[in-house]
């Protein structure tokens, strides 16, 4: 029997609650499909940092390299200055494990409400491939003359050809494998960022022409992309973009697909160890109340299963989520709607896990 080693990082706030339910669902799928997931839990996050001063030891990074995948709940603690945990845990894992792709599907499921008028599941189904290791996130820059009226702050958007090429290659291959409209759109800002997005655009067309003649190429500026995501989401198939633009448009994407309670993402190193997470934050206000929607984390679990090669189990998890949504037991995705419907984080997890055995 195949066994996969999975590192669980529940993290902060409602992270542990949603991850517990998602782990329940993926374990149910593993059982049904005849493989096993050997999980190890790590307590990195705000509470541990406040108690010990330790964010993430080097040894943990080394250990993570020995897993088949990492499954993360949420990072962010109200008593810890913003940036410490995000940079020290989330970004550090992404960078040190070279998870250079952030894959974020934007898919509207049945019975999930989108704020976009007159659009349904047939219109909202695309994927954003966000470059996840460089660009404005490289951290190059500095401040001079601090505290004076002439203070200057610099934050550099840095890309090497190799970083651009490896991201584009993944995106082209993904568009081919997805086999929907066989279209890849580069989202940039070539009219202003005339160095970085010039590089992206040249690399995009060179690679497309040479290696992916079957994939149609499109280009849109990032501002226009946000406009179309709202006005004509059905136009998109696969979008590839740099780190900062990808961060921004995927929050918009999360809303378009029904909110943070639904949106999932994968931080991928196609040659190494990848990490899966719900896009929504740690929602400290709701921690411990059992009212946060675990579906986003469950969808992240689906992506994890797909990534380790257990495609059938991944499909079962997706079908179970759809069956649960179609059952109508969850009229809305917010904490309040979950409470009002008499549902809870645990009940949703249990219900989806039950569906896993039936779909
Ligand atoms: C995300 C988050 C992170 C990012 C933050 C928490 C560092 O917004 O995963 O999109 O900017 O990448
Ligand atoms: Mn973000």
């Amino acid at each position: 029997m195949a066994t996969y080693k999975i590192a669980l990082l529940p993290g902060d706030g409602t992270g542990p609650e949603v991850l517990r339910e998602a782990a329940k669902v993926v374990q149910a799928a593993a059982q049904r499909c005849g493989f096993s997931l050997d999980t190890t839990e790590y307590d990195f996050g705000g509470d541990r940092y406040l108690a010990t001063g330790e964010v993430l030891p080097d040894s943990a990074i080394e250990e993570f390299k020995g897993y088949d995948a990492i499954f993360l709940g949420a990072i962010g603690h109200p008593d810890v200055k913003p940036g410490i945990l995000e940079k020290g845990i989330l970004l550090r894992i992404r960078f040190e494990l070279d998870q250079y792709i952030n894959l974020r599907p934007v898919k509207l499921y049945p019975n999930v409400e989108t704020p976009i008028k007159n659009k349904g599941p047939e219109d909202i189904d695309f994927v954003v491939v966000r470059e996840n290791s460089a660009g404005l996130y490289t951290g190059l820059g500095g401040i001079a003359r601090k505290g004076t009226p002439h203070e200057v702050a610099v934050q550099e958007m840095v890309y090497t050809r190799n970083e651009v090429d490896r991201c584009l290659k993944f995106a082209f291959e993904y568009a081919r494998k997805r086999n929907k409209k066989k279209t890849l759109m580069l989202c940039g800002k070539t009219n202003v960022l005339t160095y970085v997005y010039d590089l992206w655009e040249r690399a995009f067309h060179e690679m497309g022409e040479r290696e992916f003649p079957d994939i149609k190429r499109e280009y849109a500026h990032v501002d226009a992309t946000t406009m179309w995501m709202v006005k004509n989401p059905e136009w998109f198939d696969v979008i590839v973009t740099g780190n900062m633009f990808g961060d921004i448009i995927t929050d918009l994407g999360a809303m378009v697909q029904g909110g943070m309670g639904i949106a999932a993402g994968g931080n991928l190193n196609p040659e190494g160890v990848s990490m899966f997470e719900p896009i929504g934050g740690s929602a400290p206000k709701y921690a411990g109340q059992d009212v946060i929607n675990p579906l986003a984390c469950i969808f992240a679990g689906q992506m994890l299963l797909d990534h380790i090669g257990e495609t059938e189990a991944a499909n079962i998890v997706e079908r179970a989520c759809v069956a649960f949504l179609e059952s109508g037991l969850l009229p809305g995705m917010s904490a309040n709607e979950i409470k009002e419907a008499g549902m809870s984080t645990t009940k949703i997890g249990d219900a989806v896990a039950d569906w896993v055995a039936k779909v």
Side-chain angles (χ1 to χ4, degrees):
M1 180 167 77
T3 299
Y4 302 91
K5 284 183 68 190
I6 309 293
L8 298 179
L9 258 81
D12 301 313
T14 54
E17 299 164 46
V18 295
L19 188 62
R20 185 190 60 224
E21 298 314 312
K24 191 188 280 176
V25 171
V26 296
Q27 288 288 11
Q31 200 181 8
R32 176 169 162 188
C33 294
F35 61 91
S36 83
L37 300 171
D38 176 10
T39 59
T40 308
E41 202 167 302
Y42 290 84
D43 68 350
F44 302 116
D47 289 336
R48 177 174 168 140
Y49 170 67
L50 291 170
T52 68
E54 185 173 67
V55 181
L56 187 68
D58 296 343
S59 60
I61 296 282
E62 285 314 306
E63 278 181 44
F64 290 159
K65 291 179 182 164
Y67 285 91
D68 291 298
I70 303 168
F71 201 2
L72 173 76
I75 293 296
H77 195 292
D79 303 333
V80 180
K81 195 173 156 231
I84 294 181
L85 301 171
E86 291 84 348
K87 276 188 167 173
I89 300 178
L90 186 63
L91 295 181
R92 181 149 177 238
I93 296 173
R94 287 181 184 171
F95 293 160
E96 295 212 16
L97 297 187
D98 204 16
Q99 295 164 342
Y100 60 88
I101 298 295
N102 198 325
L103 189 67
R104 296 187 161 180
V106 179
K107 185 168 179 177
L108 182 65
Y109 283 100
N111 275 349
V112 177
E113 203 182 328
T114 174
I116 312 292
K117 204 170 68 183
N118 299 331
K119 300 289 177 189
E122 60 291 352
D123 303 303
I124 298 170
D125 182 6
F126 59 94
V127 178
V128 178
V129 177
R130 165 187 173 189
E131 200 290 326
N132 207 33
S133 70
L136 275 170
Y137 283 67
T138 306
L140 279 176
I143 290 185
R145 304 188 213 121
K146 194 165 184 172
T148 76
H150 302 288
E151 177 166 351
V152 43
V154 178
Q155 195 96 40
E156 304 267 19
M157 184 185 277
V158 186
Y159 270 111
T160 66
R161 176 72 189 236
N162 176 57
E163 283 162 347
V164 172
D165 274 343
R166 65 182 185 171
C167 176
L168 289 171
K169 182 166 182 282
F170 178 90
F172 274 117
E173 281 172 354
Y174 190 84
R176 185 181 272 166
K177 193 172 139 219
R178 180 173 151 89
N179 200 18
K180 199 167 177 232
K181 292 185 188 170
K182 290 204 159 201
T183 301
L184 181 62
M185 173 183 279
L186 172 65
C187 162
K189 189 72 185 174
T190 52
N191 52 350
V192 177
L193 305 180
T194 50
Y195 306 125
V196 165
Y197 279 98
D198 178 70
L199 169 60
W200 274 88
E201 196 176 35
R202 274 183 289 117
F204 177 62
H205 291 300
E206 278 172 31
M207 184 179 290
E209 210 171 282
R210 207 176 49 236
E211 293 173 49
F212 300 93
D214 52 322
I215 305 299
K216 190 168 161 230
R217 273 168 277 138
E218 290 177 346
Y219 172 82
H221 294 320
V222 63
D223 45 354
T225 304
T226 61
M227 188 173 80
W228 287 327
M229 276 171 72
V230 172
K231 193 172 168 289
N232 295 97
E234 69 279 5
W235 286 354
F236 298 107
D237 181 11
V238 182
I239 301 176
V240 62
T241 190
N243 209 342
M244 188 80 259
F245 293 165
D247 177 46
I248 298 166
I249 69 170
T250 54
D251 264 24
L252 176 58
M255 287 302 127
V256 167
Q257 73 183 121
M260 290 299 184
I262 287 284
N267 302 275
L268 312 184
N269 176 343
E271 298 88 34
V273 181
S274 301
M275 174 168 68
F276 299 83
E277 54 173 335
I279 295 185
S282 57
K285 196 168 105 182
Y286 295 108
Q289 294 182 32
D290 204 26
V291 291
I292 284 293
N293 193 348
L295 283 173
C297 200
I298 296 172
F299 283 121
Q302 175 207 337
M303 295 180 76
L304 184 155
L305 291 170
D306 194 50
H307 185 79
I308 60 174
E310 294 293 344
T311 319
E312 175 58 11
N315 293 341
I316 287 171
V317 169
E318 184 173 36
R319 291 205 300 272
C321 289
V322 169
F324 169 69
L325 288 165
E326 283 177 338
S327 73
L329 290 175
L330 193 63
M333 300 294 133
S334 72
N336 280 338
E337 287 163 320
I338 288 171
K339 250 195 243 171
E340 275 161 27
M343 290 304 288
S344 68
T345 311
T346 316
K347 283 186 190 167
I348 297 170
D350 286 342
V352 177
D354 282 347
W355 278 110
V356 162
K358 296 183 280 192
V359 288

